Amino acid sequence: MNHLDVETSVHQHGGHNPSNSDGLPIPDQLIFPGSFKDYCYPNEPAGAQDGDPDPNDNPSTLWYHDHATDLTGPSVYHGLAALYPTTDDLEDGLIARGVLPSRDGDVLLDVPLVVQDRRFNADGSLFYDPFEHDGFLGDVFVVNGKAQPFFRVQRRKYRFRLLNGSNARMYMFRFSNGLPFLQVAADSWLLPFAAARGDRILLGMAERADVVVDFRNAPSEVFLENILVQDSGRGPGGDLNNPDVRIPGTPLVKFIVEGSPVANDATVQAGTLLRPNTPIRANEIVASRSFEFNRSQGAWQVNGRFYDPERADATPRRGTAERWTLKNGGGGWWHPIHIHLEAHQVQRFNGRPPPVYNSFKKDTTLLGPGDEAEVFIRFRDRPGPFVTHCHNLEHEDDRMMFRWDVVA
Ligand SMILES: [Cu+2]
């Protein structure tokens, strides 16, 4: 039910939903002020409607946000975004067997950390500049909507669901004392095995990383910080392998670590098996397409064409897999590319195999200036139009997007 004075549309990010419930920025999916729309989120394994359900594709950390034409940037910024965690028998089993932290009595051990940047007017209201087309940056960080938050933790393992919910800012997360991250999920999906990430994790807009952090030997106060320097909506400068960083960084959350180490802690460690992966194999690929994102006449194009909601720029066939090459046309811009409906499997990044934590299922892949990702996607049981777009929300509102249709 839309009680706003502007139109809206709801996209469940990472979800495998029917086209008419995908929140697409096409005219017949907008919910106008005073009207309503029923959405259908079946929460069933991908492939179920084709009689070939694949529970290995079940998601863990979805989120949902506004996706209305022209207004996604301001509406998400003003609050239309939230997590949508899901679970299934497999994940419940990992929790029941004490592999993944979830909760211990009243103590929550599975905690969302939605990180955003905001700018405030003198009276405390949110400031947004609709003419900041490069990408809107804030100067105050908020986590789960709160500035300068703190959180009390015990000396044990916690699962944090990190979401970069910013419009245009990328983050390089690091703990002030260098506590290591153990990544257990990338974007929507649990990894096949827990992956040691060292002391830092880069997330582009809309990307998620579920991480396990062990406070057992931590000092009594630890900050989660952002160490990435970014002064322009274009991006942080530098390249993906060597972005500008600053240590110490800007604090995002203060963790107050209390008590002595807890017995019977969650058992997950590097290499622990989580969710099996069904790979998309090269011999399944029936078509190759490439999409170059570039700038022309002060606006965004894909393969030299402006977005047209009435035109499908790709028509993959239901039940087939394709190779898509996503290329950033350069010019100093960073673009996290989000593909709706299906996970994509990154095969090569700038001609090389991607790091292991990015090589299974992703719904958003961050491209720095000139970067190129080759991905495999399998199209299953949801016919109709979907979109691929940049998740810098000001770029998205400036139509950095193309429509594609799954056809019979
Ligand atoms: Cu972009």
Side-chain angles (χ1 to χ4, degrees), residues 60-307:
S60 292
T61 306
L62 304 172
W63 67 298
Y64 62 107
H65 58 79
D66 178 86
H67 213 305
T69 311
D70 296 334
L71 298 169
T72 299
S75 289
V76 169
Y77 181 83
H78 286 105
L80 295 185
L83 282 182
Y84 188 108
T86 65
T87 188
D88 66 348
D89 290 345
L90 182 138
E91 187 161 348
D92 287 345
L94 291 169
I95 291 165
R97 291 198 304 280
V99 176
L100 287 179
S102 175
R103 66 186 307 149
D104 183 355
D106 291 339
V107 183
L108 270 184
L109 305 172
D110 176 356
V111 180
L113 296 176
V114 178
V115 183
Q116 296 167 315
D117 54 336
R118 296 288 182 260
R119 234 186 283 174
F120 294 94
N121 296 309
D123 65 357
S125 58
L126 284 169
F127 172 81
Y128 181 81
D129 179 358
F131 299 104
E132 193 75 78
H133 295 295
D134 288 359
F136 185 83
L137 298 178
D139 53 12
V140 174
F141 292 107
V142 297
V143 178
N144 300 343
K146 216 165 226 204
Q148 301 186 354
F150 67 90
F151 188 66
R152 293 180 191 279
V153 294
Q154 300 178 342
R155 291 204 145 74
R156 63 191 309 171
K157 290 174 185 153
Y158 282 75
R159 173 181 182 175
F160 294 117
R161 302 187 192 231
L162 283 168
L163 161 66
N164 177 347
S166 278
N167 284 33
R169 183 180 291 281
M170 282 141 262
Y171 294 85
M172 182 81 82
F173 295 105
R174 184 182 182 275
F175 280 100
S176 52
N177 69 336
L179 268 181
F181 295 99
L182 179 66
Q183 188 170 357
V184 296
D187 291 347
S188 301
W189 300 274
L190 285 177
L191 291 167
F193 50 85
R197 289 296 307 272
D199 71 346
R200 60 194 67 186
I201 286 186
L202 175 73
L203 289 184
M205 294 77 84
E207 284 189 297
R208 282 136 286 150
D210 284 24
V211 295
V212 170
V213 177
D214 189 350
F215 291 99
R216 177 162 302 259
N217 298 310
S220 58
E221 200 174 273
V222 180
F223 291 88
L224 180 68
E225 297 180 336
N226 174 32
I227 59 171
L228 190 59
V229 177
Q230 182 178 349
D231 300 318
S232 158
R234 288 172 173 246
D239 63 57
L240 281 175
N241 298 315
N242 185 26
D244 300 331
V245 297
R246 172 172 50 201
I247 298 174
T250 309
L252 303 172
V253 190
K254 177 163 92 173
F255 292 94
I256 300 167
V257 189
E258 298 176 324
S260 31
V262 170
N264 304 318
D265 200 6
T267 58
V268 64
Q269 55 181 300
T272 298
L273 299 182
L274 300 170
R275 183 184 296 284
N277 180 57
T278 309
I280 306 171
R281 300 188 189 284
N283 63 11
E284 296 175 61
I285 301 299
V286 302
S288 297
R289 307 177 198 266
S290 59
F291 302 98
E292 180 164 339
F293 297 83
N294 43 34
R295 196 158 171 84
S296 175
Q297 303 165 48
W300 297 107
Q301 293 186 328
V302 182
N303 292 343
R305 296 206 281 186
F306 293 112
Y307 175 64

Side-chain angles (χ1 to χ4, degrees), residues 300 334-336 390-392 395-396 400:
W300 297 107
W334 290 51
H335 304 298
C390 178
H391 222 287
N392 174 317
H395 299 184
E396 176 179 347
M400 192 172 188

Side-chain angles (χ1 to χ4, degrees), residues 264-401:
N264 304 318
D265 200 6
T267 58
V268 64
Q269 55 181 300
T272 298
L273 299 182
L274 300 170
R275 183 184 296 284
N277 180 57
T278 309
I280 306 171
R281 300 188 189 284
N283 63 11
E284 296 175 61
I285 301 299
V286 302
S288 297
R289 307 177 198 266
S290 59
F291 302 98
E292 180 164 339
F293 297 83
N294 43 34
R295 196 158 171 84
S296 175
Q297 303 165 48
W300 297 107
Q301 293 186 328
V302 182
N303 292 343
R305 296 206 281 186
F306 293 112
Y307 175 64
D308 181 348
E310 306 295 333
R311 186 190 72 228
D313 288 344
T315 50
R317 280 190 303 119
R318 180 175 179 168
T320 68
E322 298 195 352
R323 173 192 290 108
W324 285 14
T325 301
L326 310 170
K327 176 145 183 63
N328 178 337
W333 299 91
W334 290 51
H335 304 298
I337 303 300
H338 172 43
I339 304 177
H340 282 218
L341 180 65
E342 297 283 1
H344 57 267
Q345 171 182 304
V346 182
Q347 292 297 112
R348 307 193 77 74
F349 195 88
N350 292 335
R352 293 184 296 275
V356 66
Y357 51 84
N358 277 349
S359 61
F360 299 101
K361 294 180 171 70
K362 291 280 288 171
D363 60 42
T364 305
T365 285
L366 178 59
L367 301 180
D371 282 340
E372 181 178 293
E374 178 193 316
V375 307
F376 286 178
I377 319 177
R378 186 190 286 118
F379 302 92
R380 289 167 290 191
D381 45 4
R382 301 289 182 215
F386 294 94
V387 292
T388 294
H389 61 86
C390 178
H391 222 287
N392 174 317
L393 298 183
E394 284 71 33
H395 299 184
E396 176 179 347
D397 278 341
D398 282 350
R399 314 288 206 280
M400 192 172 188
M401 175 147 28

